[in-house]
Amino acid sequence: QVQLQESGPRLVKSSETLSLTCAVSGYSISNGYYWAWVRHTPGKGLEWIGSVYHSGDTYYNPSLKSRVTISADTSKNQFSLKLKSVTAADTAVYYCATLTSFYSFFDYWGQGALVTVSS
Amino acid sequence: EIVLTQSPGTLSLSPGVRATLSCRASQSVDTSYLAWYQLKPGQAPRLLIYGTFSRASGIPDRFSGSGSGTDFSLRISRLEPEDVAVYYCHQYRTSPYTFGQGTKLEI
């Protein structure tokens, strides 16, 4: 069974870059699947941020595309999220998740990481 | 972008009764591409239903999904205290993938 675990700083200053990593176990990301980041805020609910394929192809939500970079590191079996120029509106629980194909539901999720943006 | 609108925002019911949660899409969604998740505080989202009708692994048959076109529903029968959560519908037919704003279920 695929297991996902988010890690990274939980407090980020406004205008700086949020960085999170998702360690994958139980499956080699080089074998396929899409690897995604989704965030949750009480006000907006769940929001898909973007996805990466093991080949490195990336797909982003247009609402965040100008600020987001998602990458995969097959040697470490992990993938990462960078969100630049953060504001208080980016305070959220960030989840990593997996999809078996591009048009698929999210079947495995990490426990989530609450990231707070401070001024 | 497909906008999903869930209703009601909050649903307060008694144990043992049935809950019906609605999800309306701004444009037609193929039934193969509509899912429901359960989210409890401090936990990862849990996939309940995919492809409108199919229960995910380990999900009890108290949970069922239905719908077509722009109108979809999640039904939870014989409500239990452990069903307290926020429920989200999700479409994955068109990028960007989108979610409804959630229905909070109180028991």
Side-chain angles (χ1 to χ4, degrees):
Chain A
Q1 183 171 343
V2 180
Q3 293 185 311
L4 307 169
Q5 181 64 60
E6 303 89 349
S7 64
R10 298 300 200 257
L11 186 63
V12 181
K13 292 184 179 179
S14 183
S15 79
E16 297 189 344
T17 297
L18 179 158
S19 296
L20 291 172
T21 296
C22 182
V24 180
S25 58
Y27 188 86
S28 173
I29 65 174
S30 60
N31 285 345
Y33 287 0
Y34 289 77
W35 307 92
W37 289 96
V38 177
R39 68 182 183 180
H40 178 263
T41 59
K44 292 187 67 176
L46 292 167
E47 180 179 32
W48 171 68
I49 299 170
S51 303
V52 61
Y53 193 50
H54 70 91
S55 62
D57 291 342
T58 52
Y59 311 86
Y60 299 131
N61 190 322
S63 67
L64 297 167
K65 186 175 183 178
S66 64
R67 300 193 291 129
V68 173
T69 302
I70 296 175
S71 59
D73 186 338
T74 55
S75 66
K76 295 182 178 179
N77 213 40
Q78 62 185 34
F79 61 105
S80 300
L81 166 69
K82 293 188 185 299
L83 179 65
K84 65 181 182 182
S85 305
V86 297
T87 69
D90 295 309
T91 293
V93 177
Y94 287 79
Y95 296 98
C96 56
T98 186
L99 312 83
T100 55
S101 67
F102 186 76
Y103 294 113
S104 176
F105 47 86
F106 301 100
D107 46 4
Y108 295 103
W109 298 73
Q111 284 298 112
L114 172 60
V115 179
T116 302
V117 177
S118 68
S119 55
Chain B
E1 171 174 324
I2 297 178
V3 177
L4 300 177
T5 303
Q6 292 186 239
S7 61
T10 301
L11 190 56
S12 298
L13 296 169
S14 300
V17 303
R18 184 175 76 176
T20 300
L21 287 66
S22 297
C23 175
R24 175 162 289 179
S26 60
Q27 56 187 277
S28 184
V29 176
D30 189 299
T31 57
S32 298
Y33 302 99
L34 195 288
W36 291 89
Y37 301 87
Q38 177 191 66
L39 183 56
K40 297 181 178 181
Q43 296 187 18
R46 180 190 186 194
L47 175 67
L48 299 174
I49 300 288
Y50 63 93
T52 298
F53 307 102
S54 300
R55 273 187 300 277
S57 177
I59 302 302
D61 61 7
R62 298 189 300 108
F63 293 85
S64 63
S66 64
S68 64
T70 60
D71 292 306
F72 298 87
S73 296
L74 173 70
R75 289 182 174 82
I76 311 170
S77 61
R78 304 184 301 280
L79 283 174
E80 301 179 0
E82 66 189 39
D83 298 329
V84 169
V86 181
Y87 293 82
Y88 293 92
C89 57
H90 163 53
Q91 69 80 21
Y92 44 98
R93 180 59 186 92
T94 303
S95 183
Y97 312 125
T98 51
F99 298 85
Q101 81 280 19
T103 290
K104 183 178 182 180
L105 178 60
E106 299 176 338
I107 300 173

